[in-house]
């Protein structure tokens, strides 16, 4: 009895599936084709910085040695003098508090410490409202957490996060 029931069920399901497929499938295929990303290029990230002194992403997981293209967008509306933002990725184990404290002294250098360039892996410039900048870099090969922050004076407390490199 059980075998018989299973046999009758299978043709039913197939028939059902076939009957339903034609129209939805056709439209899905049409809309999917153009947006299917087939590329071996860098992985893309978009980070927003806002007038509330926050990034929308505070944890980014990446693969060691991976190629990354990261776009920072200042989605705020306050003037750059009052609410500029950057995205600064520090080298491994750099003291982010100490770097932020020092960096705020260097307005003319985009709030980056001139004699500590070894402590910074990559950074955007300070962006004003509506501005964006895309930077490309290769993820370090040494796994673990790397800190990122905004070095605009007073922002480090709430604008920071971790780029976590997986081996
Ligand atoms: Cu900021």
């Amino acid at each position: 009895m059980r075998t018989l029931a299973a046999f009758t069920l299978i043709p039913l399901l197939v028939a059902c599936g076939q009957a339903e497929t034609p129209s939805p499938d056709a439209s899905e295929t049409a809309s999917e084709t153009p947006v299917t990303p087939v590329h071996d290029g860098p992985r893309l990230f978009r980070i927003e910085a806002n007038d509330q002194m926050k990034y929308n992403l505070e944890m980014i997981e990446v693969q060691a040695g991976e190629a990354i293209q990261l776009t920072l967008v200042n989605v705020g509306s306050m003037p750059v003098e009052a609410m500029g933002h950057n995205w600064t990725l520090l080298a491994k184990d750099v003291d982010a508090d100490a770097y932020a404290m020092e960096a705020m002294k260097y307005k003319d250098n985009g709030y980056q410490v001139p004699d500590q360039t070894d402590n910074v892996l990559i950074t955007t410039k300070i962006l004003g409202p509506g501005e964006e900048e895309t930077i490309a870099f290769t993820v370090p090969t040494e796994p673990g957490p790397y800190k990122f922050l905004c070095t605009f004076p007073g922002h480090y407390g709430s604008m920071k996060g971790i780029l976590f490199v997986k081996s």
Side-chain angles (χ1 to χ4, degrees):
M1 278 303 270
R2 280 198 184 153
T3 316
L4 187 65
F7 271 173
T8 48
L9 197 59
I10 291 164
L12 253 178
L13 285 174
V14 171
C16 240
Q18 278 172 345
E20 280 175 16
T21 39
S23 57
D25 238 20
S27 61
E28 267 177 36
T29 310
S31 63
E32 269 175 26
T33 309
V35 294
T36 305
V38 182
H39 64 82
D40 296 324
R43 193 140 63 105
L44 310 180
F45 287 92
R46 176 192 157 95
I47 299 186
E48 295 180 357
N50 63 25
D51 285 348
Q52 286 71 48
M53 287 188 279
K54 294 292 281 184
Y55 291 125
N56 68 332
L57 259 186
E58 292 175 343
M59 170 59 90
I60 306 174
E61 279 198 357
V62 293
Q63 209 63 44
E66 181 180 13
I68 296 294
Q69 197 170 301
L70 183 148
T71 301
L72 177 69
V73 185
N74 182 344
V75 297
S77 55
M78 290 174 66
V80 66
E81 297 78 18
M83 190 55 71
H85 302 295
N86 67 14
W87 189 86
T88 302
L89 180 64
L90 299 178
K92 198 144 191 282
D93 303 327
V94 170
D95 184 336
D97 300 74
Y99 187 82
M101 288 299 289
E102 190 65 16
M104 68 173 73
K105 300 172 186 168
Y106 296 97
K107 181 173 192 284
D108 293 341
N109 197 44
Y111 296 110
Q112 301 294 347
V113 186
D115 63 357
Q116 289 189 35
T117 51
D118 285 353
N119 284 343
V120 175
L121 296 179
I122 187 141
T123 183
T124 69
K125 61 180 189 293
I126 295 282
L127 301 180
E131 290 184 332
E132 63 175 70
E133 183 181 350
T134 298
I135 52 176
F137 61 99
T138 303
V139 172
T141 51
E142 194 185 341
Y146 291 71
K147 298 184 189 104
F148 64 80
L149 70 151
C150 174
T151 61
F152 194 91
H155 289 199
Y156 167 63
S158 57
M159 298 191 78
K160 56 185 166 185
I162 297 289
L163 181 96
F164 194 88
V165 177
K166 295 182 289 183
S167 56

